[in-house]
PDB file of all heavy atoms in Angstrom:
ATOM      1  N   ALA A  67      11.314   3.572   3.282  1.00  0.00           N
ATOM      2  CA  ALA A  67       9.948   3.906   2.894  1.00  0.00           C
ATOM      3  C   ALA A  67       9.543   5.281   3.384  1.00  0.00           C
ATOM      4  O   ALA A  67       8.647   5.900   2.836  1.00  0.00           O
ATOM      5  CB  ALA A  67       8.973   2.861   3.435  1.00  0.00           C
ATOM      6  N   VAL A  68      10.159   5.744   4.451  1.00  0.00           N
ATOM      7  CA  VAL A  68       9.754   7.044   4.954  1.00  0.00           C
ATOM      8  C   VAL A  68      10.764   8.126   4.601  1.00  0.00           C
ATOM      9  O   VAL A  68      10.686   9.232   5.095  1.00  0.00           O
ATOM     10  CB  VAL A  68       9.489   7.012   6.472  1.00  0.00           C
ATOM     11  CG1 VAL A  68       8.237   6.196   6.748  1.00  0.00           C
ATOM     12  CG2 VAL A  68      10.669   6.477   7.232  1.00  0.00           C
ATOM     13  N   GLU A  69      11.696   7.770   3.724  1.00  0.00           N
ATOM     14  CA  GLU A  69      12.591   8.819   3.240  1.00  0.00           C
ATOM     15  C   GLU A  69      11.813   9.739   2.321  1.00  0.00           C
ATOM     16  O   GLU A  69      10.980   9.310   1.533  1.00  0.00           O
ATOM     17  CB  GLU A  69      13.791   8.212   2.499  1.00  0.00           C
ATOM     18  CG  GLU A  69      14.827   7.688   3.464  1.00  0.00           C
ATOM     19  CD  GLU A  69      15.990   7.041   2.741  1.00  0.00           C
ATOM     20  OE1 GLU A  69      16.080   7.158   1.504  1.00  0.00           O
ATOM     21  OE2 GLU A  69      16.801   6.412   3.438  1.00  0.00           O
ATOM     22  N   ILE A  70      12.139  10.985   2.436  1.00  0.00           N
ATOM     23  CA  ILE A  70      11.374  11.983   1.709  1.00  0.00           C
ATOM     24  C   ILE A  70      11.423  11.761   0.190  1.00  0.00           C
ATOM     25  O   ILE A  70      10.446  11.979  -0.503  1.00  0.00           O
ATOM     26  CB  ILE A  70      11.826  13.412   2.117  1.00  0.00           C
ATOM     27  CG1 ILE A  70      10.867  14.456   1.585  1.00  0.00           C
ATOM     28  CG2 ILE A  70      13.253  13.705   1.715  1.00  0.00           C
ATOM     29  CD1 ILE A  70       9.533  14.487   2.274  1.00  0.00           C
ATOM     30  N   GLY A  71      12.550  11.272  -0.291  1.00  0.00           N
ATOM     31  CA  GLY A  71      12.684  11.055  -1.736  1.00  0.00           C
ATOM     32  C   GLY A  71      11.702  10.012  -2.265  1.00  0.00           C
ATOM     33  O   GLY A  71      11.254  10.094  -3.403  1.00  0.00           O
ATOM     34  N   TYR A  72      11.373   9.058  -1.417  1.00  0.00           N
ATOM     35  CA  TYR A  72      10.422   8.009  -1.815  1.00  0.00           C
ATOM     36  C   TYR A  72       8.996   8.543  -1.757  1.00  0.00           C
ATOM     37  O   TYR A  72       8.174   8.291  -2.631  1.00  0.00           O
ATOM     38  CB  TYR A  72      10.593   6.815  -0.878  1.00  0.00           C
ATOM     39  CG  TYR A  72       9.674   5.638  -1.150  1.00  0.00           C
ATOM     40  CD1 TYR A  72       9.780   4.901  -2.315  1.00  0.00           C
ATOM     41  CD2 TYR A  72       8.717   5.252  -0.223  1.00  0.00           C
ATOM     42  CE1 TYR A  72       8.955   3.817  -2.554  1.00  0.00           C
ATOM     43  CE2 TYR A  72       7.887   4.166  -0.456  1.00  0.00           C
ATOM     44  CZ  TYR A  72       8.012   3.450  -1.629  1.00  0.00           C
ATOM     45  OH  TYR A  72       7.183   2.380  -1.859  1.00  0.00           O
ATOM     46  N   LEU A  73       8.712   9.313  -0.715  1.00  0.00           N
ATOM     47  CA  LEU A  73       7.336   9.756  -0.477  1.00  0.00           C
ATOM     48  C   LEU A  73       6.942  11.026  -1.224  1.00  0.00           C
ATOM     49  O   LEU A  73       5.764  11.268  -1.451  1.00  0.00           O
ATOM     50  CB  LEU A  73       7.138  10.010   1.028  1.00  0.00           C
ATOM     51  CG  LEU A  73       7.169   8.767   1.903  1.00  0.00           C
ATOM     52  CD1 LEU A  73       7.345   9.156   3.358  1.00  0.00           C
ATOM     53  CD2 LEU A  73       5.886   7.975   1.728  1.00  0.00           C
ATOM     54  N   ARG A  74       7.952  11.815  -1.589  1.00  0.00           N
ATOM     55  CA  ARG A  74       7.657  13.139  -2.145  1.00  0.00           C
ATOM     56  C   ARG A  74       6.690  13.053  -3.326  1.00  0.00           C
ATOM     57  O   ARG A  74       6.871  12.238  -4.219  1.00  0.00           O
ATOM     58  CB  ARG A  74       8.953  13.823  -2.613  1.00  0.00           C
ATOM     59  CG  ARG A  74       8.719  15.246  -3.089  1.00  0.00           C
ATOM     60  CD  ARG A  74       9.987  15.853  -3.674  1.00  0.00           C
ATOM     61  NE  ARG A  74      10.999  16.072  -2.643  1.00  0.00           N
ATOM     62  CZ  ARG A  74      12.229  15.577  -2.667  1.00  0.00           C
ATOM     63  NH1 ARG A  74      12.616  14.818  -3.668  1.00  0.00           N
ATOM     64  NH2 ARG A  74      13.069  15.850  -1.701  1.00  0.00           N
ATOM     65  N   GLY A  75       5.670  13.877  -3.297  1.00  0.00           N
ATOM     66  CA  GLY A  75       4.732  13.922  -4.410  1.00  0.00           C
ATOM     67  C   GLY A  75       3.646  12.863  -4.354  1.00  0.00           C
ATOM     68  O   GLY A  75       2.831  12.764  -5.266  1.00  0.00           O
ATOM     69  N   SER A  76       3.624  12.068  -3.270  1.00  0.00           N
ATOM     70  CA  SER A  76       2.598  11.029  -3.189  1.00  0.00           C
ATOM     71  C   SER A  76       1.230  11.647  -2.941  1.00  0.00           C
ATOM     72  O   SER A  76       1.065  12.458  -2.037  1.00  0.00           O
ATOM     73  CB  SER A  76       2.883  10.065  -2.029  1.00  0.00           C
ATOM     74  OG  SER A  76       4.068   9.371  -2.270  1.00  0.00           O
ATOM     75  N   ALA A  77       0.262  11.200  -3.723  1.00  0.00           N
ATOM     76  CA  ALA A  77      -1.114  11.643  -3.496  1.00  0.00           C
ATOM     77  C   ALA A  77      -1.748  10.822  -2.385  1.00  0.00           C
ATOM     78  O   ALA A  77      -2.742  11.228  -1.785  1.00  0.00           O
ATOM     79  CB  ALA A  77      -1.915  11.486  -4.785  1.00  0.00           C
ATOM     80  N   GLY A  78      -1.161   9.662  -2.105  1.00  0.00           N
ATOM     81  CA  GLY A  78      -1.655   8.784  -1.054  1.00  0.00           C
ATOM     82  C   GLY A  78      -0.713   7.606  -0.917  1.00  0.00           C
ATOM     83  O   GLY A  78       0.232   7.474  -1.688  1.00  0.00           O
ATOM     84  N   TYR A  79      -0.976   6.773   0.082  1.00  0.00           N
ATOM     85  CA  TYR A  79      -0.141   5.585   0.233  1.00  0.00           C
ATOM     86  C   TYR A  79      -0.936   4.429   0.830  1.00  0.00           C
ATOM     87  O   TYR A  79      -1.976   4.621   1.456  1.00  0.00           O
ATOM     88  CB  TYR A  79       1.115   5.863   1.073  1.00  0.00           C
ATOM     89  CG  TYR A  79       0.904   6.514   2.417  1.00  0.00           C
ATOM     90  CD1 TYR A  79       0.676   5.757   3.557  1.00  0.00           C
ATOM     91  CD2 TYR A  79       0.946   7.901   2.546  1.00  0.00           C
ATOM     92  CE1 TYR A  79       0.505   6.360   4.798  1.00  0.00           C
ATOM     93  CE2 TYR A  79       0.773   8.517   3.776  1.00  0.00           C
ATOM     94  CZ  TYR A  79       0.549   7.736   4.902  1.00  0.00           C
ATOM     95  OH  TYR A  79       0.371   8.343   6.118  1.00  0.00           O
TER      96      TYR A  79
END
Side-chain angles (χ1 to χ4, degrees):
V68 291
E69 281 178 10
I70 191 72
Y72 180 66
L73 291 165
R74 185 186 292 123
S76 295
Y79 52 89

